[in-house]
Amino acid sequence: MASILAVDDSASMRKMVAFTLKGAGYEVEEAVDGVDALTKAQIKKFDCIVTDVNMPNKDGIALIRDLRSLPDYKYIPMLMLTTESGIEKKQEGKAAGATGWIVKPFDPEQLLRTLKKVLG
Amino acid sequence: MSIDMSQFHQVFFEECFEGLDAMESGLLNLDTGDIDAEMINTIFRGAHSIKGGSGTFGFHDVADFTHVMETLLDEMRDGRRKVTQPAVDVLLGSVDCLRTMLTSIQEGESVDQAAVEKYKHALEVQLSGAAGGAPAPEQPSSRTEPEKADDEVVASEAYEMPEQGWKIAFCPYLDLLKTGNDPVRMFRELAELGDYSVSVNARDVPGLFELDPEECNLSWTLQIKGDISLQEVNEVFSWVEGDCELDIQPLTKPGKTVPAVKKIEPEPILPETGAAKTELDETEAKTGTGNPESIKQSIPQPDNDQTKSPKSSGSNSIRVDTAKIDALIDLVGEVVITQSMLGLISENFTMDQLEQLKRGLSQLERHTRDMQQSVMNIRMLPISFVFSRFPRLVHDISAKLGKKIELKLVGENTEVDKAVVELINDPLVHLIRNSLDHGIEMPADRLAEGKPETGTIELNAYHRGGHIVIEIIDDGRGLDRNKLIAKAVEKGLIAENSLLSDKQAFELIFMPGFSTAESITDISGRGVGMDVVRKNIQALGGNIEIISQLGKGTTISIHLPLTLAIIDGQSVAVGDEIYIVPLVSIIESINVTEKMLNKIAGKGEAFKLRNQYIPIIRMHEVFNVPPKDKSKPSEGVIVVVERQGALCGLFVDELLGPQQVVVKSLEANYRRVEGISGATILGDGSVALILDVPGLVRYSNRQTQLSSAA
């Protein structure tokens, strides 16, 4: 089963995402911010990254940009969780290499549907 | 799959309260003048996370409220709005309001809508105010957004529904794959919508030598048949917008031509592509907040959940560093191994295995001790849990008093037992209020004294021995010993010509009914404060000391045990009884000779130790235990203990050895006994009393005075 790295500085959101994905049979690891995620992603290659945008230390967009530059993550789907309804953030994310986005608030079913979209 | 979201509520609430605390301290730092972008961002992030979480977990009132805060903070963050004191005050008020709101929700009480509306209104006033130049655009609240968007979707579906399906020309740019998107997955998604066919155009694929495998050189023409809305088709391609040329045409009946419904050009950010924007908004409504039915099903309504969770769950849970838990689990593993080893030995025990058995038992003992340490560690919290509330307190009160005060926090990470953390808050609040009110002078007075205009209060915490020391240091006017003595005489608390040391004079403020404040304010006490503070701290097994220099400032130090549950003790025998003396108060234990002993008329006995006379307390007499055979101090042992700097010798029969004891409350099981802080159960099942050294010394002094007066 695919392995997913869930990145969010908010513990409740992170747990919710991780719990939902685990429940659907994915293998999930959690990271608390961009820096943590970047370290974990280099230890192990994940099949998909789901990251929050607004985080301390390193935000989701910088994380996506950094990961994209790594050979291992060139084509890995990376989704950002965003509450920003404006298209600027999405464009910024896309420019950094994000595959797509999920707009908060979302429910577990939406999350799984979106993931199915990117995981073959 | 349906998931019970209520399982995340506890974490969510804790996180919210943490976020609110961070916002509060950030806001308090903001108003000191120096505006720093990172600080605003931190505050913004707090509001942002609460909004995101509350939306997801179904607390829409909270989400609505934080949305307004977030908008205001966002404008500040982008520099579109100046950070003004009124705005900061409204935000601080909103933080409080949000905290109350969350507490109510958590405890299953109804939210005070009037207060919420009041702050929401105040925030909106700030938002619409001209402070930042351009008035903020009126953003719809997140709750109404989806409904509105849904209407649009319905409306557009009504006339965009083709009869047969869609024809899609999809020509990705070379870089499409580099965003992690994959045409194959998109087609698969499309295939789920209806009957689909695809043809590939490979004419742009270069020769093998020029081919860059990381580029997408193919383009496709797709046909999809069925009852499918344009919305659904667009959604499949929504992530690759700007990375491809996309042309979606309705499949029409032969002979009938319909103009292109829509063509997405790259760079849809440009404002004139109004169509692209609407379309995006719709997508968002669909993926983000659409389908209210399913949300309702998966997220239990707050009301239901509230009745389930116990009321006080908040204060009874504790956040523990995973490393601490891991250490504990390791130890449990060790204990299990040792236990199975012992089990094996006992199965067929022969005397030659005695060594092995002893080794096993000593291992078990070591592990048990380590485990105890680990468990105690879990209960340890940094004192910042208490300290973090004070910047706000100081901010509010100094504003009220018109004083300028800076609060410094030192040693916030010093750890102390959770129970101590909870109980120390009120006494500290009281002491800080006192410093604010009576200690620090008005700015003008300070300048006249040649001091900096801004007064300083420092809260300092550190470990010393088995204690945590908390100091409250102010650079205010200090205590005037003559004034204190005069006041005490006036109140009839001491005799007129009493000779008091500075220390004794300062201690007067702890006497019941003593207050030096010239006027009683609503901020600090009415003369019922300090004695209660001292009583509370003593009840925690601690003590409080005061040092002051007139005109320079006052330092109040509180010494508290790190934990209330287990202490290191020395067991001593007195007659047939065993008492535990807390190890922290023992300086040394010695045998004395007759020559060292002195009787002092009216003041009991003392012995001379290194040129210092130390009073002796005969434990037999204090506790009325018949002595066995040792009736003279020279026959037994003197345990020298310290009590607030003064030494005292306890005469006991013999020392039995040091041990850790679990403190059982005497008050809870019997009643408070002077000179005794608790009881414990010894290895043989008997009960031993734990001495409260300061209390014991006080008690014994009083007895001596009584007997000498008689």
Side-chain angles (χ1 to χ4, degrees), chain B residues 456-484:
Chain B
T456 311
I457 294 181
E458 183 180 317
L459 267 175
N460 186 8
Y462 54 91
H463 282 164
R464 197 167 71 188
H467 282 68
I468 181 172
V469 181
I470 302 169
E471 290 175 339
I472 300 146
I473 306 162
D474 72 52
D475 67 346
R477 59 170 71 94
L479 294 173
D480 184 341
R481 58 161 285 155
N482 294 329
K483 216 162 138 189
L484 290 172

PDB file of all heavy atoms in Angstrom, chain B residues 456-484:
ATOM      1  N   THR B 456      10.564  47.107  36.679  1.00  0.00           N
ATOM      2  CA  THR B 456      10.771  45.738  36.219  1.00  0.00           C
ATOM      3  C   THR B 456      10.295  44.760  37.279  1.00  0.00           C
ATOM      4  O   THR B 456      10.572  44.939  38.458  1.00  0.00           O
ATOM      5  CB  THR B 456      12.269  45.469  35.961  1.00  0.00           C
ATOM      6  OG1 THR B 456      12.778  46.514  35.163  1.00  0.00           O
ATOM      7  CG2 THR B 456      12.462  44.138  35.266  1.00  0.00           C
ATOM      8  N   ILE B 457       9.579  43.769  36.841  1.00  0.00           N
ATOM      9  CA  ILE B 457       9.260  42.652  37.723  1.00  0.00           C
ATOM     10  C   ILE B 457       9.845  41.418  37.064  1.00  0.00           C
ATOM     11  O   ILE B 457       9.613  41.166  35.883  1.00  0.00           O
ATOM     12  CB  ILE B 457       7.747  42.493  37.911  1.00  0.00           C
ATOM     13  CG1 ILE B 457       7.182  43.700  38.651  1.00  0.00           C
ATOM     14  CG2 ILE B 457       7.442  41.213  38.685  1.00  0.00           C
ATOM     15  CD1 ILE B 457       5.698  43.620  38.901  1.00  0.00           C
ATOM     16  N   GLU B 458      10.641  40.696  37.813  1.00  0.00           N
ATOM     17  CA  GLU B 458      11.247  39.501  37.232  1.00  0.00           C
ATOM     18  C   GLU B 458      10.689  38.282  37.947  1.00  0.00           C
ATOM     19  O   GLU B 458      10.626  38.232  39.166  1.00  0.00           O
ATOM     20  CB  GLU B 458      12.767  39.563  37.392  1.00  0.00           C
ATOM     21  CG  GLU B 458      13.465  38.383  36.741  1.00  0.00           C
ATOM     22  CD  GLU B 458      14.979  38.442  36.900  1.00  0.00           C
ATOM     23  OE1 GLU B 458      15.562  39.531  36.735  1.00  0.00           O
ATOM     24  OE2 GLU B 458      15.562  37.398  37.209  1.00  0.00           O
ATOM     25  N   LEU B 459      10.275  37.312  37.137  1.00  0.00           N
ATOM     26  CA  LEU B 459       9.839  36.038  37.688  1.00  0.00           C
ATOM     27  C   LEU B 459      10.924  35.044  37.342  1.00  0.00           C
ATOM     28  O   LEU B 459      11.238  34.853  36.173  1.00  0.00           O
ATOM     29  CB  LEU B 459       8.543  35.597  37.015  1.00  0.00           C
ATOM     30  CG  LEU B 459       7.238  35.960  37.664  1.00  0.00           C
ATOM     31  CD1 LEU B 459       6.100  35.528  36.781  1.00  0.00           C
ATOM     32  CD2 LEU B 459       7.125  35.305  39.020  1.00  0.00           C
ATOM     33  N   ASN B 460      11.458  34.424  38.351  1.00  0.00           N
ATOM     34  CA  ASN B 460      12.614  33.578  38.121  1.00  0.00           C
ATOM     35  C   ASN B 460      12.365  32.218  38.769  1.00  0.00           C
ATOM     36  O   ASN B 460      11.970  32.145  39.925  1.00  0.00           O
ATOM     37  CB  ASN B 460      13.819  34.281  38.770  1.00  0.00           C
ATOM     38  CG  ASN B 460      15.107  33.570  38.484  1.00  0.00           C
ATOM     39  OD1 ASN B 460      15.132  32.637  37.669  1.00  0.00           O
ATOM     40  ND2 ASN B 460      16.168  33.984  39.139  1.00  0.00           N
ATOM     41  N   ALA B 461      12.569  31.159  38.017  1.00  0.00           N
ATOM     42  CA  ALA B 461      12.368  29.826  38.588  1.00  0.00           C
ATOM     43  C   ALA B 461      13.607  28.997  38.356  1.00  0.00           C
ATOM     44  O   ALA B 461      14.220  29.059  37.297  1.00  0.00           O
ATOM     45  CB  ALA B 461      11.168  29.142  37.939  1.00  0.00           C
ATOM     46  N   TYR B 462      14.008  28.245  39.367  1.00  0.00           N
ATOM     47  CA  TYR B 462      15.134  27.327  39.190  1.00  0.00           C
ATOM     48  C   TYR B 462      15.045  26.206  40.225  1.00  0.00           C
ATOM     49  O   TYR B 462      14.310  26.318  41.210  1.00  0.00           O
ATOM     50  CB  TYR B 462      16.479  28.059  39.298  1.00  0.00           C
ATOM     51  CG  TYR B 462      16.679  28.866  40.558  1.00  0.00           C
ATOM     52  CD1 TYR B 462      17.263  28.308  41.679  1.00  0.00           C
ATOM     53  CD2 TYR B 462      16.251  30.197  40.631  1.00  0.00           C
ATOM     54  CE1 TYR B 462      17.450  29.044  42.840  1.00  0.00           C
ATOM     55  CE2 TYR B 462      16.420  30.936  41.782  1.00  0.00           C
ATOM     56  CZ  TYR B 462      17.028  30.356  42.893  1.00  0.00           C
ATOM     57  OH  TYR B 462      17.185  31.078  44.049  1.00  0.00           O
ATOM     58  N   HIS B 463      15.803  25.153  39.976  1.00  0.00           N
ATOM     59  CA  HIS B 463      15.828  24.028  40.913  1.00  0.00           C
ATOM     60  C   HIS B 463      16.945  24.219  41.909  1.00  0.00           C
ATOM     61  O   HIS B 463      18.037  24.661  41.553  1.00  0.00           O
ATOM     62  CB  HIS B 463      16.084  22.722  40.148  1.00  0.00           C
ATOM     63  CG  HIS B 463      14.858  22.209  39.458  1.00  0.00           C
ATOM     64  ND1 HIS B 463      14.913  21.272  38.481  1.00  0.00           N
ATOM     65  CD2 HIS B 463      13.556  22.509  39.622  1.00  0.00           C
ATOM     66  CE1 HIS B 463      13.694  21.005  38.054  1.00  0.00           C
ATOM     67  NE2 HIS B 463      12.846  21.765  38.735  1.00  0.00           N
ATOM     68  N   ARG B 464      16.673  23.894  43.143  1.00  0.00           N
ATOM     69  CA  ARG B 464      17.758  23.847  44.120  1.00  0.00           C
ATOM     70  C   ARG B 464      17.466  22.686  45.039  1.00  0.00           C
ATOM     71  O   ARG B 464      16.445  22.665  45.728  1.00  0.00           O
ATOM     72  CB  ARG B 464      17.851  25.161  44.890  1.00  0.00           C
ATOM     73  CG  ARG B 464      19.203  25.283  45.588  1.00  0.00           C
ATOM     74  CD  ARG B 464      19.444  26.656  46.087  1.00  0.00           C
ATOM     75  NE  ARG B 464      18.596  26.961  47.217  1.00  0.00           N
ATOM     76  CZ  ARG B 464      18.501  28.181  47.754  1.00  0.00           C
ATOM     77  NH1 ARG B 464      19.149  29.182  47.232  1.00  0.00           N
ATOM     78  NH2 ARG B 464      17.726  28.380  48.802  1.00  0.00           N
ATOM     79  N   GLY B 465      18.372  21.715  45.034  1.00  0.00           N
ATOM     80  CA  GLY B 465      18.125  20.506  45.808  1.00  0.00           C
ATOM     81  C   GLY B 465      16.851  19.855  45.311  1.00  0.00           C
ATOM     82  O   GLY B 465      16.598  19.798  44.121  1.00  0.00           O
ATOM     83  N   GLY B 466      16.038  19.395  46.187  1.00  0.00           N
ATOM     84  CA  GLY B 466      14.791  18.764  45.776  1.00  0.00           C
ATOM     85  C   GLY B 466      13.663  19.778  45.654  1.00  0.00           C
ATOM     86  O   GLY B 466      12.500  19.408  45.677  1.00  0.00           O
ATOM     87  N   HIS B 467      14.037  21.034  45.552  1.00  0.00           N
ATOM     88  CA  HIS B 467      13.018  22.073  45.540  1.00  0.00           C
ATOM     89  C   HIS B 467      13.030  22.869  44.254  1.00  0.00           C
ATOM     90  O   HIS B 467      14.031  22.918  43.554  1.00  0.00           O
ATOM     91  CB  HIS B 467      13.253  23.057  46.693  1.00  0.00           C
ATOM     92  CG  HIS B 467      12.790  22.533  48.007  1.00  0.00           C
ATOM     93  ND1 HIS B 467      13.416  21.481  48.623  1.00  0.00           N
ATOM     94  CD2 HIS B 467      11.771  22.901  48.809  1.00  0.00           C
ATOM     95  CE1 HIS B 467      12.787  21.225  49.767  1.00  0.00           C
ATOM     96  NE2 HIS B 467      11.782  22.070  49.901  1.00  0.00           N
ATOM     97  N   ILE B 468      11.918  23.488  44.004  1.00  0.00           N
ATOM     98  CA  ILE B 468      11.911  24.511  42.967  1.00  0.00           C
ATOM     99  C   ILE B 468      11.809  25.838  43.697  1.00  0.00           C
ATOM    100  O   ILE B 468      11.075  25.955  44.685  1.00  0.00           O
ATOM    101  CB  ILE B 468      10.745  24.342  41.964  1.00  0.00           C
ATOM    102  CG1 ILE B 468      10.821  25.431  40.900  1.00  0.00           C
ATOM    103  CG2 ILE B 468       9.384  24.345  42.656  1.00  0.00           C
ATOM    104  CD1 ILE B 468       9.830  25.233  39.771  1.00  0.00           C
ATOM    105  N   VAL B 469      12.587  26.792  43.261  1.00  0.00           N
ATOM    106  CA  VAL B 469      12.547  28.112  43.869  1.00  0.00           C
ATOM    107  C   VAL B 469      11.938  29.066  42.853  1.00  0.00           C
ATOM    108  O   VAL B 469      12.331  29.064  41.686  1.00  0.00           O
ATOM    109  CB  VAL B 469      13.968  28.590  44.244  1.00  0.00           C
ATOM    110  CG1 VAL B 469      13.903  29.956  44.910  1.00  0.00           C
ATOM    111  CG2 VAL B 469      14.639  27.579  45.151  1.00  0.00           C
ATOM    112  N   ILE B 470      10.943  29.802  43.268  1.00  0.00           N
ATOM    113  CA  ILE B 470      10.346  30.806  42.390  1.00  0.00           C
ATOM    114  C   ILE B 470      10.555  32.160  43.049  1.00  0.00           C
ATOM    115  O   ILE B 470      10.190  32.345  44.221  1.00  0.00           O
ATOM    116  CB  ILE B 470       8.837  30.550  42.187  1.00  0.00           C
ATOM    117  CG1 ILE B 470       8.619  29.157  41.609  1.00  0.00           C
ATOM    118  CG2 ILE B 470       8.231  31.613  41.285  1.00  0.00           C
ATOM    119  CD1 ILE B 470       7.170  28.730  41.618  1.00  0.00           C
ATOM    120  N   GLU B 471      11.160  33.072  42.322  1.00  0.00           N
ATOM    121  CA  GLU B 471      11.417  34.387  42.898  1.00  0.00           C
ATOM    122  C   GLU B 471      10.625  35.449  42.143  1.00  0.00           C
ATOM    123  O   GLU B 471      10.516  35.387  40.922  1.00  0.00           O
ATOM    124  CB  GLU B 471      12.909  34.731  42.792  1.00  0.00           C
ATOM    125  CG  GLU B 471      13.766  33.887  43.704  1.00  0.00           C
ATOM    126  CD  GLU B 471      15.252  34.154  43.483  1.00  0.00           C
ATOM    127  OE1 GLU B 471      15.632  34.662  42.404  1.00  0.00           O
ATOM    128  OE2 GLU B 471      16.024  33.838  44.387  1.00  0.00           O
ATOM    129  N   ILE B 472      10.101  36.373  42.891  1.00  0.00           N
ATOM    130  CA  ILE B 472       9.430  37.526  42.282  1.00  0.00           C
ATOM    131  C   ILE B 472      10.241  38.733  42.710  1.00  0.00           C
ATOM    132  O   ILE B 472      10.286  39.079  43.894  1.00  0.00           O
ATOM    133  CB  ILE B 472       7.981  37.643  42.780  1.00  0.00           C
ATOM    134  CG1 ILE B 472       7.233  36.377  42.402  1.00  0.00           C
ATOM    135  CG2 ILE B 472       7.301  38.862  42.190  1.00  0.00           C
ATOM    136  CD1 ILE B 472       6.204  35.993  43.403  1.00  0.00           C
ATOM    137  N   ILE B 473      10.944  39.320  41.743  1.00  0.00           N
ATOM    138  CA  ILE B 473      11.881  40.388  42.072  1.00  0.00           C
ATOM    139  C   ILE B 473      11.362  41.675  41.439  1.00  0.00           C
ATOM    140  O   ILE B 473      11.155  41.730  40.226  1.00  0.00           O
ATOM    141  CB  ILE B 473      13.275  40.062  41.492  1.00  0.00           C
ATOM    142  CG1 ILE B 473      13.721  38.673  41.971  1.00  0.00           C
ATOM    143  CG2 ILE B 473      14.294  41.126  41.870  1.00  0.00           C
ATOM    144  CD1 ILE B 473      14.836  38.077  41.158  1.00  0.00           C
ATOM    145  N   ASP B 474      11.133  42.693  42.247  1.00  0.00           N
ATOM    146  CA  ASP B 474      10.757  43.968  41.635  1.00  0.00           C
ATOM    147  C   ASP B 474      11.761  45.035  42.023  1.00  0.00           C
ATOM    148  O   ASP B 474      12.479  44.906  43.014  1.00  0.00           O
ATOM    149  CB  ASP B 474       9.312  44.354  41.996  1.00  0.00           C
ATOM    150  CG  ASP B 474       9.142  44.789  43.432  1.00  0.00           C
ATOM    151  OD1 ASP B 474       9.890  45.676  43.871  1.00  0.00           O
ATOM    152  OD2 ASP B 474       8.248  44.253  44.120  1.00  0.00           O
ATOM    153  N   ASP B 475      11.856  46.065  41.211  1.00  0.00           N
ATOM    154  CA  ASP B 475      12.780  47.159  41.529  1.00  0.00           C
ATOM    155  C   ASP B 475      11.975  48.375  41.990  1.00  0.00           C
ATOM    156  O   ASP B 475      12.260  49.499  41.634  1.00  0.00           O
ATOM    157  CB  ASP B 475      13.674  47.482  40.334  1.00  0.00           C
ATOM    158  CG  ASP B 475      12.903  48.066  39.163  1.00  0.00           C
ATOM    159  OD1 ASP B 475      11.655  47.969  39.190  1.00  0.00           O
ATOM    160  OD2 ASP B 475      13.525  48.625  38.258  1.00  0.00           O
ATOM    161  N   GLY B 476      10.981  48.101  42.781  1.00  0.00           N
ATOM    162  CA  GLY B 476      10.088  49.163  43.248  1.00  0.00           C
ATOM    163  C   GLY B 476      10.595  49.836  44.504  1.00  0.00           C
ATOM    164  O   GLY B 476      11.804  49.898  44.753  1.00  0.00           O
ATOM    165  N   ARG B 477       9.655  50.277  45.321  1.00  0.00           N
ATOM    166  CA  ARG B 477      10.068  51.119  46.439  1.00  0.00           C
ATOM    167  C   ARG B 477      10.591  50.337  47.643  1.00  0.00           C
ATOM    168  O   ARG B 477      11.196  50.917  48.522  1.00  0.00           O
ATOM    169  CB  ARG B 477       8.916  52.022  46.866  1.00  0.00           C
ATOM    170  CG  ARG B 477       7.647  51.316  47.291  1.00  0.00           C
ATOM    171  CD  ARG B 477       6.681  52.299  47.924  1.00  0.00           C
ATOM    172  NE  ARG B 477       6.093  53.215  46.958  1.00  0.00           N
ATOM    173  CZ  ARG B 477       4.920  53.017  46.358  1.00  0.00           C
ATOM    174  NH1 ARG B 477       4.217  51.933  46.598  1.00  0.00           N
ATOM    175  NH2 ARG B 477       4.450  53.888  45.528  1.00  0.00           N
ATOM    176  N   GLY B 478      10.377  49.035  47.647  1.00  0.00           N
ATOM    177  CA  GLY B 478      10.896  48.249  48.762  1.00  0.00           C
ATOM    178  C   GLY B 478      10.036  48.409  49.999  1.00  0.00           C
ATOM    179  O   GLY B 478       9.100  49.209  50.032  1.00  0.00           O
ATOM    180  N   LEU B 479      10.351  47.612  51.000  1.00  0.00           N
ATOM    181  CA  LEU B 479       9.567  47.684  52.235  1.00  0.00           C
ATOM    182  C   LEU B 479      10.288  48.576  53.245  1.00  0.00           C
ATOM    183  O   LEU B 479      11.503  48.519  53.390  1.00  0.00           O
ATOM    184  CB  LEU B 479       9.404  46.278  52.828  1.00  0.00           C
ATOM    185  CG  LEU B 479       8.574  45.284  52.022  1.00  0.00           C
ATOM    186  CD1 LEU B 479       8.661  43.906  52.670  1.00  0.00           C
ATOM    187  CD2 LEU B 479       7.127  45.725  51.920  1.00  0.00           C
ATOM    188  N   ASP B 480       9.519  49.399  53.915  1.00  0.00           N
ATOM    189  CA  ASP B 480      10.082  50.295  54.928  1.00  0.00           C
ATOM    190  C   ASP B 480       9.901  49.638  56.289  1.00  0.00           C
ATOM    191  O   ASP B 480       8.791  49.564  56.813  1.00  0.00           O
ATOM    192  CB  ASP B 480       9.336  51.633  54.854  1.00  0.00           C
ATOM    193  CG  ASP B 480       9.920  52.649  55.803  1.00  0.00           C
ATOM    194  OD1 ASP B 480      10.635  52.224  56.749  1.00  0.00           O
ATOM    195  OD2 ASP B 480       9.652  53.839  55.615  1.00  0.00           O
ATOM    196  N   ARG B 481      11.016  49.170  56.880  1.00  0.00           N
ATOM    197  CA  ARG B 481      10.868  48.375  58.106  1.00  0.00           C
ATOM    198  C   ARG B 481      10.245  49.192  59.238  1.00  0.00           C
ATOM    199  O   ARG B 481       9.452  48.681  60.017  1.00  0.00           O
ATOM    200  CB  ARG B 481      12.187  47.739  58.553  1.00  0.00           C
ATOM    201  CG  ARG B 481      13.332  48.688  58.825  1.00  0.00           C
ATOM    202  CD  ARG B 481      14.386  48.009  59.669  1.00  0.00           C
ATOM    203  NE  ARG B 481      13.963  47.896  61.051  1.00  0.00           N
ATOM    204  CZ  ARG B 481      14.393  46.994  61.903  1.00  0.00           C
ATOM    205  NH1 ARG B 481      15.223  46.063  61.496  1.00  0.00           N
ATOM    206  NH2 ARG B 481      13.993  46.980  63.143  1.00  0.00           N
ATOM    207  N   ASN B 482      10.586  50.467  59.307  1.00  0.00           N
ATOM    208  CA  ASN B 482      10.039  51.276  60.398  1.00  0.00           C
ATOM    209  C   ASN B 482       8.528  51.431  60.263  1.00  0.00           C
ATOM    210  O   ASN B 482       7.789  51.381  61.240  1.00  0.00           O
ATOM    211  CB  ASN B 482      10.710  52.650  60.416  1.00  0.00           C
ATOM    212  CG  ASN B 482      12.184  52.518  60.758  1.00  0.00           C
ATOM    213  OD1 ASN B 482      12.568  51.599  61.500  1.00  0.00           O
ATOM    214  ND2 ASN B 482      13.000  53.384  60.192  1.00  0.00           N
ATOM    215  N   LYS B 483       8.134  51.618  59.003  1.00  0.00           N
ATOM    216  CA  LYS B 483       6.705  51.748  58.741  1.00  0.00           C
ATOM    217  C   LYS B 483       5.974  50.437  59.092  1.00  0.00           C
ATOM    218  O   LYS B 483       4.891  50.452  59.674  1.00  0.00           O
ATOM    219  CB  LYS B 483       6.511  52.061  57.253  1.00  0.00           C
ATOM    220  CG  LYS B 483       5.381  53.007  56.956  1.00  0.00           C
ATOM    221  CD  LYS B 483       5.563  53.566  55.555  1.00  0.00           C
ATOM    222  CE  LYS B 483       4.278  53.635  54.782  1.00  0.00           C
ATOM    223  NZ  LYS B 483       4.505  53.981  53.367  1.00  0.00           N
ATOM    224  N   LEU B 484       6.627  49.321  58.739  1.00  0.00           N
ATOM    225  CA  LEU B 484       6.020  48.021  59.026  1.00  0.00           C
ATOM    226  C   LEU B 484       5.857  47.830  60.527  1.00  0.00           C
ATOM    227  O   LEU B 484       4.812  47.396  61.010  1.00  0.00           O
ATOM    228  CB  LEU B 484       6.889  46.886  58.466  1.00  0.00           C
ATOM    229  CG  LEU B 484       6.952  46.729  56.943  1.00  0.00           C
ATOM    230  CD1 LEU B 484       7.990  45.689  56.571  1.00  0.00           C
ATOM    231  CD2 LEU B 484       5.582  46.317  56.413  1.00  0.00           C
TER     232      LEU B 484
END
